[in-house]
Amino acid sequence: MSLHFSGIQTARLRFRLLSDADAEFILRLLNEPGWLQYIGDRGVHTLDDAKNYIHSGPLSMIRAHGFGLYLVERKEDKVPVGICGLLQRTMLTVPDLGFAYCTEFYRQGIAFEAGDAMLTYAKNILGLSKVAALTALDNEPSMALLKKLGFEFERKISLSEQTEASTLFSKIL
């Protein structure tokens, strides 16, 4: 599958494909305290690591499934604020909503605005009828956001024998 994305826009935000030019931002995002605490260290410690993450993670997912994580930037000045999109995990039957934002953009309604736009995209463009979402068991801010977006708690789930349990949410679109 080719890398094609028609884009998503909201009043304040624009989604776009990640590129090598975003490596500095990805390096910073993946080393944010919240990312490290709730998502984990992905071994992204240099610009080359960040470029590799972009290609082997988000862009690879888009090639394989037609969706993935996208860069979210402010429309007014093109400043990147985070990533948001859908992931297809082998242990889940439906795609799950993934998101992460730099701390400086917390409490501005950005995560809700982007998440709501991605769910609309999932339903209207991708034709999905259900999506999931995963959070760390103690990630109260993400759980509150998911509930605000209309997700409902399903159960605790282990993604693999090596990882801690996660909280699984789902939403009918």
Side-chain angles (χ1 to χ4, degrees), residues 6 10 13 17-18 32 35 39 41 45 47 64 76 79 86-87 93-94 96-97 99 111 120 122 129 132 134 147 154:
S6 59
T10 69
L13 307 171
L17 291 172
L18 285 154
E32 284 268 333
W35 181 289
I39 299 171
D41 188 344
H45 303 294
L47 287 176
E76 65 179 334
V79 168
L86 298 169
L87 302 145
T93 58
V94 297
D96 72 281
L97 178 68
F99 52 86
T120 299
S129 59
L134 295 165
K147 289 175 184 173
E154 270 197 28

Side-chain angles (χ1 to χ4, degrees), residues 44-56:
V44 176
H45 303 294
T46 68
L47 287 176
D48 284 340
D49 292 342
K51 289 175 187 175
N52 185 51
Y53 171 85
I54 289 167
H55 289 277
S56 65

Side-chain angles (χ1 to χ4, degrees), residues 53-121:
Y53 171 85
I54 289 167
H55 289 277
S56 65
L59 297 182
S60 177
M61 177 79 59
I62 293 166
R63 278 190 194 92
H65 300 285
F67 54 79
L69 292 171
Y70 302 95
L71 182 102
V72 179
E73 63 186 11
R74 289 189 306 216
K75 284 169 72 171
E76 65 179 334
D77 55 11
K78 296 186 178 181
V79 168
V81 298
I83 55 176
C84 181
L86 298 169
L87 302 145
Q88 185 62 62
R89 299 180 200 264
T90 55
M91 74 292 294
L92 295 177
T93 58
V94 297
D96 72 281
L97 178 68
F99 52 86
Y101 299 92
C102 288
T103 309
E104 67 201 80
F105 301 108
Y106 286 7
R107 300 192 174 288
Q108 297 177 28
I110 288 172
F112 179 82
E113 187 174 329
D116 188 54
M118 182 52 63
L119 293 172
T120 299
Y121 180 82

